Amino acid sequence: MRPPMPDHRPDRLPLWRHIALFRRDILSAQPARLYRARMAEVKLPFLHSVMVNTPELVRLVLQERPADFPKSARVREGLRPLLGDSIFITNGAVWARQRRMIDPAFEGGRTRESFPAMWAAAEAMAARLAPGEIEVEAAMSHVTADVIFRTLFSVPIEEATAAEVYRAFRAHQRANPILNPAALVPMPPWVPRLFPRKTRATAARIRALITRMVDARMAEIAAGTAPDDLATKIMTTTDPETGARFSTEEMVDQVAIFFLAGHETSASALAWTLWLVAAHPDWQARLRDEAAVLCGSIGGVSPDFSVLRAMPLIRDTFREALRLYPPVPMMVREAAGPECFRGRDLGAGAQVIVSPWHMGRNERIWDDPHDFRPERWQDPATTACARAGFLPFSAGPRVCPGAGFAMAEAVLILARILCAWEVQPLPGAVPQPVAQLTVRARDGIRVVLSRR
Ligand code: HEM
């Protein structure tokens, strides 16, 4: 069965219909021709935007001249109440400094050190699962949030403040989708952009809770009793250029984005992977054989990090899901000065959209781009396709620092599920992708679990 796609809009549409569709779901607001088009342009009196759809233009924007295409102010403003000045939305020297402080926490060996905490979260998830129908987006959101708390602050999600942060984030997202599609929509400047009072209140509540965790950790670091986890690593890293550490306020900004970027994205990709695995039982049987290397550790201490290397097909399945359903479907940048793309002039301030969704399914790059074919990742020819069109973690200096972490966590969680459960599709429940905070399914992703 071909994996579900959005219902694409017709090529020609009145502007008001386009805007209405866009506000509802940025994926179905795009015409199917964008899987082949090299560029798409929207030019209105109050907005000029282009979607760049060739490997050359994407490389130019993300890798060759990133400073000329900073994060878009439109998107930044929408995220500021919750994320403050976190690394996800800053630009220029502020961003560069934050990146210097954060990168060491994700360097090679660090993910290995976080592995036992990931295993503990996977075991806790296993204890929550029960036979029967299950909505996997919620289940995956729970376990990936647990991974973040355990690796960042050495506490499980059941710990009182962690549980409250998790609940508050969910409430906030329901009221105010973080990747608010409206932020990308052509809005005339006279449309008020004030945040509803409720949004500001829930954001302030989340930040107050995170401040409590950061304050406690600051005190533990000062007393020499802090655990050796990601929070301690980030909070004790000094900027090699200035010698300064993050202040409490700055660290709250970073924790907010780690929590958000680090769990919603992984949850979305894991949920889609499970649905794809459910819909392909023969492939699932092969993955289950592979997961056997992990089954001996169930109920015991964490296996060694090297166990991941023994599960290449599970890793490739996750990659294929990331290609088909990249959790961050589109990224928005802004031209800092005048540009000319494919003969079209862009003025300063024009919005430049890079779409992992369209590049991952680009018909000029991939064979059978809309099909689930995880075995393609074993083919050496895929390396070139991936270089040209596989962007779930972005590319260039702003590439996701958590990519290695996310891959390790995903393979572990998938293998842990496959050790114990057979995953089947729920008859008639084909998930319909829509872009909310991340790429989600309109009515959730439901599968049936039965014990092996
Ligand atoms: C499957 C899981 C994940 C996916 C698909 C993903 C994807 C992305 C993408 C596409 C970006 C770039 C966004 C942009 O430039 O507009 C990004 C940035 C970021 N991600 Fe991830 N991410 C994942 C997991 C994680 C995890 C686990 C963490 C941390 C624990 C994390 C932390 C970050 C941070 C801090 C940034 C901002 C980097 C910067 O702007 O310099 N992500 N991620």
Side-chain angles (χ1 to χ4, degrees), residues 263-276:
H263 98 280
E264 277 293 336
T265 44
S266 293
S268 156
L270 278 165
W272 283 106
T273 311
L274 282 169
W275 189 85
L276 290 164

Side-chain angles (χ1 to χ4, degrees), residues 63-114:
Q63 288 167 277
E64 289 166 9
R65 291 176 41 214
D68 295 332
F69 301 98
K71 287 249 171 158
S72 156
R74 276 170 201 260
V75 175
R76 247 186 9 244
E77 284 314 308
L79 296 170
R80 201 180 286 278
L82 180 63
L83 300 183
D85 273 332
S86 88
I87 184 169
F88 197 77
I89 52 181
T90 50
N91 283 318
V94 175
W95 167 81
R97 170 172 173 272
Q98 293 171 337
R99 191 81 199 206
R100 285 196 298 273
M101 313 271 285
I102 282 170
D103 273 347
F106 290 95
E107 271 159 9
R110 274 276 149 183
T111 304
R112 178 185 291 271
E113 287 165 27
S114 296

Side-chain angles (χ1 to χ4, degrees), residues 27 34 43 64 92 99 182 236 300 312 317 323 331 394 409 444:
L27 292 179
L34 289 193
K43 201 165 185 180
E64 289 166 9
R99 191 81 199 206
T236 55
T317 307
R323 182 185 71 78
M331 298 179 283
S394 188
E409 159 193 42

Side-chain angles (χ1 to χ4, degrees), residues 31 34 89-90 117 157 202 324 349 385-386 408 414:
L34 289 193
I89 52 181
T90 50
I157 196 166
T202 51
L324 287 166
C385 306
L414 289 167

Side-chain angles (χ1 to χ4, degrees), residues 169-181:
F169 256 107
R170 289 177 77 82
H172 182 79
Q173 275 158 228
R174 266 195 297 275
N176 175 61
I178 304 286
L179 175 69
N180 184 352

